[in-house]
mmCIF file of all heavy atoms in Angstrom:
data_model
loop_
_atom_site.group_PDB
_atom_site.id
_atom_site.type_symbol
_atom_site.label_atom_id
_atom_site.label_comp_id
_atom_site.label_asym_id
_atom_site.label_seq_id
_atom_site.Cartn_x
_atom_site.Cartn_y
_atom_site.Cartn_z
ATOM 1 N N ARG I 1 0.858 -1.248 0.010
ATOM 2 C CA ARG I 1 -0.038 0.014 0.007
ATOM 3 C C ARG I 1 0.824 1.238 -0.009
ATOM 4 O O ARG I 1 0.435 2.307 -0.467
ATOM 5 C CB ARG I 1 -0.945 -0.005 1.183
ATOM 6 C CG ARG I 1 -2.031 -1.103 0.983
ATOM 7 C CD ARG I 1 -3.108 -0.956 2.022
ATOM 8 N NE ARG I 1 -4.145 -1.939 1.692
ATOM 9 C CZ ARG I 1 -5.300 -2.074 2.435
ATOM 10 N NH1 ARG I 1 -5.441 -1.286 3.514
ATOM 11 N NH2 ARG I 1 -6.177 -2.990 2.145
ATOM 12 N N GLY I 2 2.088 1.136 0.503
ATOM 13 C CA GLY I 2 3.031 2.308 0.419
ATOM 14 C C GLY I 2 3.280 2.563 -1.080
ATOM 15 O O GLY I 2 3.363 3.740 -1.444
ATOM 16 N N PHE I 3 3.575 1.516 -1.866
ATOM 17 C CA PHE I 3 3.808 1.722 -3.238
ATOM 18 C C PHE I 3 2.496 2.308 -3.911
ATOM 19 O O PHE I 3 2.615 3.214 -4.802
ATOM 20 C CB PHE I 3 4.201 0.394 -3.949
ATOM 21 C CG PHE I 3 5.563 -0.069 -3.640
ATOM 22 C CD1 PHE I 3 5.835 -1.275 -3.115
ATOM 23 C CD2 PHE I 3 6.693 0.743 -3.998
ATOM 24 C CE1 PHE I 3 7.102 -1.668 -2.856
ATOM 25 C CE2 PHE I 3 7.971 0.393 -3.781
ATOM 26 C CZ PHE I 3 8.192 -0.931 -3.183
ATOM 27 N N GLU I 4 1.361 1.790 -3.533
ATOM 28 C CA GLU I 4 0.131 2.336 -4.029
ATOM 29 C C GLU I 4 -0.063 3.827 -3.693
ATOM 30 O O GLU I 4 -0.483 4.621 -4.539
ATOM 31 C CB GLU I 4 -1.092 1.585 -3.510
ATOM 32 C CG GLU I 4 -1.144 0.115 -3.981
ATOM 33 C CD GLU I 4 -2.261 -0.627 -3.316
ATOM 34 O OE1 GLU I 4 -2.985 -0.070 -2.404
ATOM 35 O OE2 GLU I 4 -2.592 -1.790 -3.673
ATOM 36 N N ALA I 5 0.311 4.199 -2.469
ATOM 37 C CA ALA I 5 0.225 5.547 -2.039
ATOM 38 C C ALA I 5 1.133 6.476 -2.914
ATOM 39 O O ALA I 5 0.747 7.583 -3.266
ATOM 40 C CB ALA I 5 0.517 5.757 -0.610
ATOM 41 N N ALA I 6 2.394 5.998 -3.134
ATOM 42 C CA ALA I 6 3.311 6.769 -3.992
ATOM 43 C C ALA I 6 2.747 7.000 -5.320
ATOM 44 O O ALA I 6 2.800 8.110 -5.941
ATOM 45 C CB ALA I 6 4.609 6.081 -4.026
ATOM 46 N N ARG I 7 2.116 5.942 -5.925
ATOM 47 C CA ARG I 7 1.553 6.062 -7.218
ATOM 48 C C ARG I 7 0.354 7.081 -7.259
ATOM 49 O O ARG I 7 0.205 7.898 -8.155
ATOM 50 C CB ARG I 7 1.038 4.670 -7.714
ATOM 51 C CG ARG I 7 0.521 4.720 -9.165
ATOM 52 C CD ARG I 7 0.154 3.367 -9.715
ATOM 53 N NE ARG I 7 -1.016 2.819 -9.035
ATOM 54 C CZ ARG I 7 -0.899 1.804 -8.121
ATOM 55 N NH1 ARG I 7 0.284 1.191 -7.888
ATOM 56 N NH2 ARG I 7 -1.981 1.342 -7.573
ATOM 57 N N THR I 8 -0.528 6.965 -6.244
ATOM 58 C CA THR I 8 -1.614 7.833 -6.173
ATOM 59 C C THR I 8 -1.225 9.254 -5.978
ATOM 60 O O THR I 8 -1.855 10.241 -6.408
ATOM 61 C CB THR I 8 -2.656 7.386 -5.129
ATOM 62 O OG1 THR I 8 -1.939 7.338 -3.865
ATOM 63 C CG2 THR I 8 -3.288 6.073 -5.422
ATOM 64 N N GLN I 9 -0.133 9.482 -5.247
ATOM 65 C CA GLN I 9 0.439 10.893 -5.039
ATOM 66 C C GLN I 9 0.837 11.434 -6.406
ATOM 67 O O GLN I 9 0.580 12.629 -6.579
ATOM 68 C CB GLN I 9 1.566 10.830 -4.061
ATOM 69 C CG GLN I 9 1.229 10.623 -2.594
ATOM 70 C CD GLN I 9 0.320 11.710 -2.062
ATOM 71 O OE1 GLN I 9 0.483 12.859 -2.323
ATOM 72 N NE2 GLN I 9 -0.732 11.284 -1.308
ATOM 73 N N ARG I 10 1.392 10.627 -7.208
ATOM 74 C CA ARG I 10 1.806 11.095 -8.533
ATOM 75 C C ARG I 10 0.602 11.476 -9.323
ATOM 76 O O ARG I 10 0.507 12.498 -10.045
ATOM 77 C CB ARG I 10 2.649 10.087 -9.214
ATOM 78 C CG ARG I 10 4.009 9.873 -8.669
ATOM 79 C CD ARG I 10 4.927 9.062 -9.639
ATOM 80 N NE ARG I 10 4.407 7.679 -9.818
ATOM 81 C CZ ARG I 10 4.780 6.692 -9.094
ATOM 82 N NH1 ARG I 10 5.621 6.841 -8.113
ATOM 83 N NH2 ARG I 10 4.312 5.486 -9.396
ATOM 84 N N GLU I 11 -0.443 10.587 -9.235
ATOM 85 C CA GLU I 11 -1.676 10.873 -9.936
ATOM 86 C C GLU I 11 -2.367 12.157 -9.425
ATOM 87 O O GLU I 11 -2.909 12.908 -10.197
ATOM 88 C CB GLU I 11 -2.626 9.679 -9.784
ATOM 89 C CG GLU I 11 -2.213 8.454 -10.467
ATOM 90 C CD GLU I 11 -3.130 7.308 -10.231
ATOM 91 O OE1 GLU I 11 -4.308 7.515 -9.873
ATOM 92 O OE2 GLU I 11 -2.760 6.108 -10.430
ATOM 93 N N LEU I 12 -2.293 12.357 -8.057
ATOM 94 C CA LEU I 12 -2.896 13.548 -7.601
ATOM 95 C C LEU I 12 -2.125 14.778 -8.086
ATOM 96 O O LEU I 12 -2.744 15.783 -8.425
ATOM 97 C CB LEU I 12 -2.820 13.521 -6.007
ATOM 98 C CG LEU I 12 -3.956 12.860 -5.219
ATOM 99 C CD1 LEU I 12 -3.579 12.698 -3.759
ATOM 100 C CD2 LEU I 12 -5.218 13.672 -5.363
ATOM 101 N N ALA I 13 -0.830 14.688 -8.111
ATOM 102 C CA ALA I 13 -0.096 15.811 -8.613
ATOM 103 C C ALA I 13 -0.394 16.096 -10.062
ATOM 104 O O ALA I 13 -0.546 17.310 -10.473
ATOM 105 C CB ALA I 13 1.451 15.523 -8.506
ATOM 106 N N GLU I 14 -0.551 15.079 -10.912
ATOM 107 C CA GLU I 14 -0.934 15.276 -12.284
ATOM 108 C C GLU I 14 -2.283 15.924 -12.464
ATOM 109 O O GLU I 14 -2.553 16.827 -13.204
ATOM 110 C CB GLU I 14 -0.924 13.958 -13.057
ATOM 111 C CG GLU I 14 0.520 13.389 -13.227
ATOM 112 C CD GLU I 14 0.495 11.961 -13.727
ATOM 113 O OE1 GLU I 14 -0.616 11.387 -13.937
ATOM 114 O OE2 GLU I 14 1.662 11.359 -13.831
ATOM 115 N N LEU I 15 -3.289 15.389 -11.589
ATOM 116 C CA LEU I 15 -4.605 15.978 -11.658
ATOM 117 C C LEU I 15 -4.665 17.403 -11.173
ATOM 118 O O LEU I 15 -5.444 18.248 -11.698
ATOM 119 C CB LEU I 15 -5.630 15.114 -10.833
ATOM 120 C CG LEU I 15 -5.939 13.769 -11.374
ATOM 121 C CD1 LEU I 15 -6.705 12.921 -10.418
ATOM 122 C CD2 LEU I 15 -6.735 13.845 -12.731
ATOM 123 N N THR I 16 -3.850 17.676 -10.194
ATOM 124 C CA THR I 16 -3.802 19.080 -9.691
ATOM 125 C C THR I 16 -3.178 20.061 -10.733
ATOM 126 O O THR I 16 -3.682 21.084 -10.923
ATOM 127 C CB THR I 16 -2.892 19.127 -8.412
ATOM 128 O OG1 THR I 16 -3.482 18.229 -7.363
ATOM 129 C CG2 THR I 16 -2.869 20.526 -7.839
ATOM 130 N N ALA I 17 -2.137 19.553 -11.329
ATOM 131 C CA ALA I 17 -1.458 20.387 -12.404
ATOM 132 C C ALA I 17 -2.356 20.680 -13.533
ATOM 133 O O ALA I 17 -2.365 21.693 -14.193
ATOM 134 C CB ALA I 17 -0.196 19.703 -12.908
ATOM 135 N N SER I 18 -3.207 19.706 -13.850
ATOM 136 C CA SER I 18 -4.174 19.851 -15.012
ATOM 137 C C SER I 18 -5.360 20.737 -14.625
ATOM 138 O O SER I 18 -6.215 21.072 -15.414
ATOM 139 C CB SER I 18 -4.624 18.533 -15.494
ATOM 140 O OG SER I 18 -5.464 17.854 -14.566
ATOM 141 N N GLY I 19 -5.603 20.960 -13.300
ATOM 142 C CA GLY I 19 -6.717 21.749 -12.836
ATOM 143 C C GLY I 19 -7.946 20.839 -12.586
ATOM 144 O O GLY I 19 -9.028 21.389 -12.294
ATOM 145 N N ALA I 20 -7.765 19.531 -12.677
ATOM 146 C CA ALA I 20 -8.970 18.614 -12.457
ATOM 147 C C ALA I 20 -9.457 18.593 -10.960
ATOM 148 O O ALA I 20 -10.597 18.366 -10.752
ATOM 149 C CB ALA I 20 -8.571 17.239 -12.908
ATOM 150 N N ILE I 21 -8.466 18.790 -10.115
ATOM 151 C CA ILE I 21 -8.826 18.929 -8.703
ATOM 152 C C ILE I 21 -8.119 20.145 -8.111
ATOM 153 O O ILE I 21 -7.131 20.532 -8.568
ATOM 154 C CB ILE I 21 -8.482 17.626 -7.900
ATOM 155 C CG1 ILE I 21 -7.002 17.403 -8.016
ATOM 156 C CG2 ILE I 21 -9.229 16.452 -8.346
ATOM 157 C CD1 ILE I 21 -6.651 16.214 -7.028
ATOM 158 N N PRO I 22 -8.732 20.708 -7.051
ATOM 159 C CA PRO I 22 -8.115 21.856 -6.429
ATOM 160 C C PRO I 22 -6.702 21.580 -5.858
ATOM 161 O O PRO I 22 -6.375 20.416 -5.433
ATOM 162 C CB PRO I 22 -9.028 22.217 -5.310
ATOM 163 C CG PRO I 22 -10.384 21.561 -5.628
ATOM 164 C CD PRO I 22 -9.975 20.349 -6.335
ATOM 165 N N PRO I 23 -5.873 22.553 -5.792
ATOM 166 C CA PRO I 23 -4.508 22.369 -5.234
ATOM 167 C C PRO I 23 -4.569 22.152 -3.742
ATOM 168 O O PRO I 23 -5.508 22.541 -3.098
ATOM 169 C CB PRO I 23 -3.785 23.677 -5.633
ATOM 170 C CG PRO I 23 -4.821 24.679 -5.725
ATOM 171 C CD PRO I 23 -6.030 23.996 -6.259
ATOM 172 N N PRO I 24 -3.530 21.702 -3.124
ATOM 173 C CA PRO I 24 -3.498 21.548 -1.688
ATOM 174 C C PRO I 24 -3.389 22.900 -1.113
ATOM 175 O O PRO I 24 -2.816 23.808 -1.705
ATOM 176 C CB PRO I 24 -2.280 20.619 -1.406
ATOM 177 C CG PRO I 24 -1.373 20.927 -2.571
ATOM 178 C CD PRO I 24 -2.304 21.103 -3.726
ATOM 179 N N PRO I 25 -3.829 23.072 0.205
ATOM 180 C CA PRO I 25 -3.758 24.393 0.839
ATOM 181 C C PRO I 25 -2.265 24.704 1.152
ATOM 182 O O PRO I 25 -1.472 23.776 1.410
ATOM 183 C CB PRO I 25 -4.549 24.233 2.099
ATOM 184 C CG PRO I 25 -4.480 22.752 2.455
ATOM 185 C CD PRO I 25 -4.483 22.048 1.067
ATOM 186 N N PRO I 26 -1.899 25.989 1.097
ATOM 187 C CA PRO I 26 -0.499 26.279 1.469
ATOM 188 C C PRO I 26 -0.275 26.223 2.978
ATOM 189 O O PRO I 26 -1.152 26.495 3.778
ATOM 190 C CB PRO I 26 -0.399 27.725 0.981
ATOM 191 C CG PRO I 26 -1.807 28.223 1.069
ATOM 192 C CD PRO I 26 -2.735 27.111 0.762
ATOM 193 N N ALA I 27 0.936 25.796 3.355
ATOM 194 C CA ALA I 27 1.335 25.904 4.729
ATOM 195 C C ALA I 27 1.686 27.423 4.968
ATOM 196 O O ALA I 27 2.139 28.104 4.063
ATOM 197 C CB ALA I 27 2.557 25.033 5.001
ATOM 198 N N VAL I 28 1.444 27.843 6.209
ATOM 199 C CA VAL I 28 1.568 29.232 6.492
ATOM 200 C C VAL I 28 2.533 29.468 7.685
ATOM 201 O O VAL I 28 2.767 28.554 8.481
ATOM 202 C CB VAL I 28 0.191 29.935 6.719
ATOM 203 C CG1 VAL I 28 -0.655 29.921 5.487
ATOM 204 C CG2 VAL I 28 -0.546 29.116 7.864
ATOM 205 N N VAL I 29 3.034 30.688 7.817
ATOM 206 C CA VAL I 29 3.855 31.059 8.933
ATOM 207 C C VAL I 29 3.021 31.158 10.237
ATOM 208 O O VAL I 29 1.920 31.733 10.165
ATOM 209 C CB VAL I 29 4.573 32.419 8.634
ATOM 210 C CG1 VAL I 29 5.414 32.837 9.863
ATOM 211 C CG2 VAL I 29 5.432 32.283 7.404
ATOM 212 N N PRO I 30 3.484 30.590 11.291
ATOM 213 C CA PRO I 30 2.690 30.688 12.586
ATOM 214 C C PRO I 30 2.575 32.078 13.024
ATOM 215 O O PRO I 30 3.418 32.959 12.636
ATOM 216 C CB PRO I 30 3.590 29.906 13.560
ATOM 217 C CG PRO I 30 4.476 29.073 12.740
ATOM 218 C CD PRO I 30 4.719 29.805 11.485
ATOM 219 N N ASN I 31 1.600 32.405 13.861
ATOM 220 C CA ASN I 31 1.489 33.684 14.457
ATOM 221 C C ASN I 31 1.336 33.462 15.968
ATOM 222 O O ASN I 31 1.522 32.367 16.476
ATOM 223 C CB ASN I 31 0.363 34.584 13.925
ATOM 224 C CG ASN I 31 -1.096 33.909 14.153
ATOM 225 O OD1 ASN I 31 -1.237 33.198 15.053
ATOM 226 N ND2 ASN I 31 -1.980 34.288 13.248
ATOM 227 N N LEU I 32 1.066 34.472 16.713
ATOM 228 C CA LEU I 32 1.096 34.311 18.191
ATOM 229 C C LEU I 32 0.107 33.282 18.676
ATOM 230 O O LEU I 32 0.295 32.757 19.756
ATOM 231 C CB LEU I 32 0.885 35.734 18.830
ATOM 232 C CG LEU I 32 -0.490 36.386 18.760
ATOM 233 C CD1 LEU I 32 -1.484 35.899 19.816
ATOM 234 C CD2 LEU I 32 -0.319 37.890 18.938
ATOM 235 N N LEU I 33 -0.941 33.059 17.931
ATOM 236 C CA LEU I 33 -1.931 32.045 18.349
ATOM 237 C C LEU I 33 -1.369 30.671 18.415
ATOM 238 O O LEU I 33 -1.943 29.793 19.029
ATOM 239 C CB LEU I 33 -3.204 32.077 17.433
ATOM 240 C CG LEU I 33 -3.993 33.381 17.385
ATOM 241 C CD1 LEU I 33 -5.117 33.303 16.390
ATOM 242 C CD2 LEU I 33 -4.473 33.843 18.747
ATOM 243 N N ASN I 34 -0.308 30.424 17.619
ATOM 244 C CA ASN I 34 0.316 29.059 17.639
ATOM 245 C C ASN I 34 1.322 28.893 18.742
ATOM 246 O O ASN I 34 1.784 27.771 18.930
ATOM 247 C CB ASN I 34 1.022 28.883 16.293
ATOM 248 C CG ASN I 34 0.062 28.905 15.101
ATOM 249 O OD1 ASN I 34 0.043 29.857 14.390
ATOM 250 N ND2 ASN I 34 -0.725 27.876 15.012
ATOM 251 N N GLY I 35 1.605 29.878 19.612
ATOM 252 C CA GLY I 35 2.407 29.681 20.705
ATOM 253 C C GLY I 35 3.847 29.458 20.347
ATOM 254 O O GLY I 35 4.275 29.785 19.275
ATOM 255 N N ASP I 36 4.584 28.748 21.217
ATOM 256 C CA ASP I 36 5.971 28.502 21.045
ATOM 257 C C ASP I 36 6.259 26.984 21.003
ATOM 258 O O ASP I 36 7.501 26.516 21.063
ATOM 259 C CB ASP I 36 6.849 29.142 22.093
ATOM 260 C CG ASP I 36 6.476 28.609 23.539
ATOM 261 O OD1 ASP I 36 5.616 27.716 23.641
ATOM 262 O OD2 ASP I 36 7.069 29.144 24.515
ATOM 263 N N GLY I 37 5.205 26.155 20.822
ATOM 264 C CA GLY I 37 5.387 24.723 20.756
ATOM 265 C C GLY I 37 5.302 23.944 22.013
ATOM 266 O O GLY I 37 5.421 22.736 22.026
ATOM 267 N N THR I 38 5.047 24.638 23.197
ATOM 268 C CA THR I 38 4.933 23.941 24.421
ATOM 269 C C THR I 38 3.449 23.570 24.629
ATOM 270 O O THR I 38 2.511 24.163 24.107
ATOM 271 C CB THR I 38 5.308 24.873 25.655
ATOM 272 O OG1 THR I 38 4.507 26.083 25.513
ATOM 273 C CG2 THR I 38 6.755 25.229 25.504
ATOM 274 N N ILE I 39 3.225 22.484 25.303
ATOM 275 C CA ILE I 39 1.920 21.935 25.581
ATOM 276 C C ILE I 39 1.229 22.824 26.659
ATOM 277 O O ILE I 39 1.859 23.117 27.753
ATOM 278 C CB ILE I 39 1.966 20.455 26.016
ATOM 279 C CG1 ILE I 39 2.423 19.608 24.877
ATOM 280 C CG2 ILE I 39 0.598 20.033 26.454
ATOM 281 C CD1 ILE I 39 2.558 18.156 25.240
ATOM 282 N N PRO I 40 -0.008 23.270 26.480
ATOM 283 C CA PRO I 40 -0.581 24.207 27.489
ATOM 284 C C PRO I 40 -0.836 23.511 28.843
ATOM 285 O O PRO I 40 -0.995 22.277 28.889
ATOM 286 C CB PRO I 40 -1.948 24.445 26.838
ATOM 287 C CG PRO I 40 -1.785 24.248 25.403
ATOM 288 C CD PRO I 40 -0.780 23.108 25.263
ATOM 289 N N THR I 41 -0.661 24.253 29.829
ATOM 290 C CA THR I 41 -0.875 23.798 31.243
ATOM 291 C C THR I 41 -2.138 24.368 31.818
ATOM 292 O O THR I 41 -2.614 23.927 32.848
ATOM 293 C CB THR I 41 0.276 24.062 32.108
ATOM 294 O OG1 THR I 41 0.576 25.447 32.119
ATOM 295 C CG2 THR I 41 1.543 23.276 31.613
ATOM 296 N N GLY I 42 -2.714 25.429 31.197
ATOM 297 C CA GLY I 42 -3.895 26.085 31.699
ATOM 298 C C GLY I 42 -4.932 26.127 30.634
ATOM 299 O O GLY I 42 -4.639 25.936 29.463
ATOM 300 N N HIS I 43 -6.156 26.423 31.117
ATOM 301 C CA HIS I 43 -7.337 26.418 30.204
ATOM 302 C C HIS I 43 -8.251 27.594 30.480
ATOM 303 O O HIS I 43 -8.600 27.791 31.729
ATOM 304 C CB HIS I 43 -8.101 25.101 30.291
ATOM 305 C CG HIS I 43 -7.278 23.898 29.949
ATOM 306 N ND1 HIS I 43 -7.267 23.290 28.687
ATOM 307 C CD2 HIS I 43 -6.366 23.161 30.743
ATOM 308 C CE1 HIS I 43 -6.464 22.241 28.766
ATOM 309 N NE2 HIS I 43 -5.909 22.229 29.947
ATOM 310 N N SER I 44 -8.660 28.318 29.472
ATOM 311 C CA SER I 44 -9.645 29.382 29.645
ATOM 312 C C SER I 44 -10.740 29.117 28.618
ATOM 313 O O SER I 44 -10.450 28.745 27.525
ATOM 314 C CB SER I 44 -9.007 30.747 29.334
ATOM 315 O OG SER I 44 -8.037 31.094 30.369
ATOM 316 N N ILE I 45 -11.988 29.338 29.064
ATOM 317 C CA ILE I 45 -13.139 29.173 28.099
ATOM 318 C C ILE I 45 -14.081 30.291 28.229
ATOM 319 O O ILE I 45 -14.159 30.966 29.276
ATOM 320 C CB ILE I 45 -13.876 27.760 28.390
ATOM 321 C CG1 ILE I 45 -14.489 27.809 29.786
ATOM 322 C CG2 ILE I 45 -12.951 26.634 28.147
ATOM 323 C CD1 ILE I 45 -15.471 26.689 30.013
#
């Protein structure tokens, strides 16, 4: 299934390039809401 996944990823890339399916969303730069990577110890609601 890993080989199958690699093949389907190539197919996805081809379909994306042709416009047949939407492109993947872009990764973005974190802002202050993303914190510094530490796990929260408090909770506010």
